[in-house]
Amino acid sequence: MCRCCDADGFGRERRRVSYDHGSLFTADEMRLPLQPHDWRPQLSRRKLLQYGGIMPYSPLNVVYNGKTCILFRARKLAIRYRNHTLVDLTLRVFGPDAIVDTRGSFCSKDKAILNIRFGDVEEIRGLAIRLQMSNTFYESAGQNWFTLDSVHIHYNWTHEATFNATDVYAPSTNSYHCQHVSSLQKYDTLLVPSSVTDNAAHWHITFTDFQIQAFNVHSNKFSSATDCATFFTPAILMGLITSLILLLVLAYALHMVVHLKHIDRYEEHKTTVYFPRSTEAENTDKNNL
């Protein structure tokens, strides 16, 4: 790794970091995004599972300094620019005959970058997709967690679209899995344009059946996955509410049945009450006759 400094138009120095694969990043790009001081991973909202889905493609292995440090796979990877045709990049990354260019990828103890270069794709020149991840120790959780910080789309050689990732995290000893990691609202928008004026507002990107692990990779296999699906999904909540309503109706029906049986038992034991008439009342009746 080598470091160098250059000056911008205002005479200020800007540090840049060059890694073994020849990719160049600014120091700002490598800085860990600030989290709120009270932020901590919401482990109780996640499912820990050994993902057993049948994937049509093998994972992409990224080797850095002779060691596999990133595992990545998806059932489908698609992008769209403005109203252009949807571009499916799946076979270019995971196809059996795909030759994937991952120059610029990088791994360290607390940082990881997955850089996938596609070259010219249809009308897009110099297309590349970069995922930046970080590994941080959180005292409140008592362990290290890795997060997907941002997703970058480089196109036409000099243009870039930046998406900030939200709620994409897992313990550093696990992998992360989600059915959809996307910038589309129908998929919960886990990828958000970094700003209103960013070029990302013109792009859509979707990873289907997304799984990644960037730290503690052993034997070239994914560890158990932390899934983005929560225990209480809308469908589960609706099921619980419906069950509660049916339970209340059943309880009310049982109460009414017990109450009716009690009334019947009371009617069976009820006797006719006889009130004896006085002598004066009988004499009055006789006189009337």
Side-chain angles (χ1 to χ4, degrees):
M1 182 178 71
C2 63
R3 298 179 181 272
C4 60
C5 296
D6 58 358
D8 59 16
F10 297 92
R12 296 173 298 188
E13 290 187 345
R14 183 177 57 181
R15 292 191 303 167
R16 302 177 73 86
V17 185
S18 177
Y19 296 99
D20 294 351
H21 295 284
S23 180
L24 204 60
F25 303 99
T26 63
D28 291 338
E29 289 175 328
M30 295 296 297
R31 186 178 299 126
L32 177 66
L34 295 178
Q35 298 283 2
H37 71 280
D38 58 346
W39 184 89
R40 63 178 181 271
Q42 300 293 328
L43 181 59
S44 60
R45 297 171 52 195
R46 296 293 180 84
K47 295 179 181 178
L48 184 63
L49 51 85
Q50 182 66 48
Y51 182 69
I54 300 176
M55 297 291 288
Y57 311 110
S58 300
L60 173 65
N61 293 19
V62 177
V63 178
Y64 185 79
N65 289 339
K67 181 181 179 181
T68 299
C69 62
I70 300 176
L71 293 176
F72 168 62
R73 69 179 172 187
R75 187 179 299 274
K76 184 177 181 180
L77 168 56
I79 61 173
R80 172 180 288 169
Y81 179 68
R82 293 184 182 272
N83 295 324
H84 294 198
T85 305
L86 186 72
V87 178
D88 191 339
L89 302 173
T90 310
L91 292 178
R92 293 175 179 266
V93 182
F94 305 105
D97 300 324
I99 300 177
V100 186
D101 185 355
T102 59
R103 287 178 299 167
S105 297
F106 165 77
C107 296
S108 70
K109 184 178 180 180
D110 57 356
K111 295 286 184 181
I113 294 176
L114 172 59
N115 193 52
I116 306 174
R117 300 186 179 190
F118 298 94
D120 297 340
V121 179
E122 297 186 3
E123 298 179 357
I124 306 173
R125 300 291 178 262
L127 177 65
I129 295 178
R130 187 172 86 243
L131 284 69
Q132 292 192 183
M133 293 155 284
S134 58
N135 183 27
T136 308
F137 178 78
Y138 292 96
E139 293 184 0
S140 58
Q143 61 179 331
N144 284 70
W145 288 68
F146 86 87
T147 58
L148 174 62
D149 300 321
S150 58
V151 175
H152 305 258
I153 300 177
H154 296 267
Y155 62 101
N156 295 342
W157 306 114
T158 58
H159 295 77
E160 180 180 8
T162 302
F163 296 90
N164 291 332
T166 61
D167 292 332
V168 180
Y169 55 83
S172 60
T173 54
N174 299 107
S175 62
Y176 172 86
H177 174 266
C178 195
Q179 185 62 32
H180 292 99
V181 174
S182 174
S183 60
L184 298 176
Q185 291 185 354
K186 66 178 180 179
Y187 297 135
D188 295 334
T189 317
L190 292 179
L191 301 178
V192 182
S194 60
S195 66
V196 178
T197 58
D198 192 275
N199 292 327
H202 305 306
W203 284 88
H204 294 302
I205 180 170
T206 299
F207 300 89
T208 303
D209 236 345
F210 175 91
Q211 187 172 10
I212 194 167
Q213 184 171 354
F215 303 94
N216 299 307
V217 177
H218 302 290
S219 303
N220 295 337
K221 294 181 180 179
F222 282 108
S223 301
S224 298
T226 298
D227 199 273
C228 64
T230 60
F231 286 104
F232 294 102
T233 61
I236 293 177
L237 288 176
M238 288 300 298
L240 290 175
I241 293 174
T242 303
S243 300
L244 179 60
I245 294 174
L246 293 176
L247 183 62
L248 291 175
V249 172
L250 178 61
Y252 179 74
L254 291 175
H255 170 73
M256 293 302 297
V257 170
V258 172
H259 182 66
L260 290 174
K261 287 184 177 180
H262 177 73
I263 293 176
D264 291 341
R265 191 178 300 112
Y266 175 77
E267 291 291 338
E268 290 176 358
H269 291 83
K270 186 173 66 174
T271 58
T272 303
V273 180
Y274 174 75
F275 297 96
R277 302 184 67 181
S278 63
T279 305
E280 294 180 355
E282 291 179 354
N283 293 333
T284 303
D285 292 339
K286 290 180 179 180
N287 293 332
N288 291 334
L289 294 174

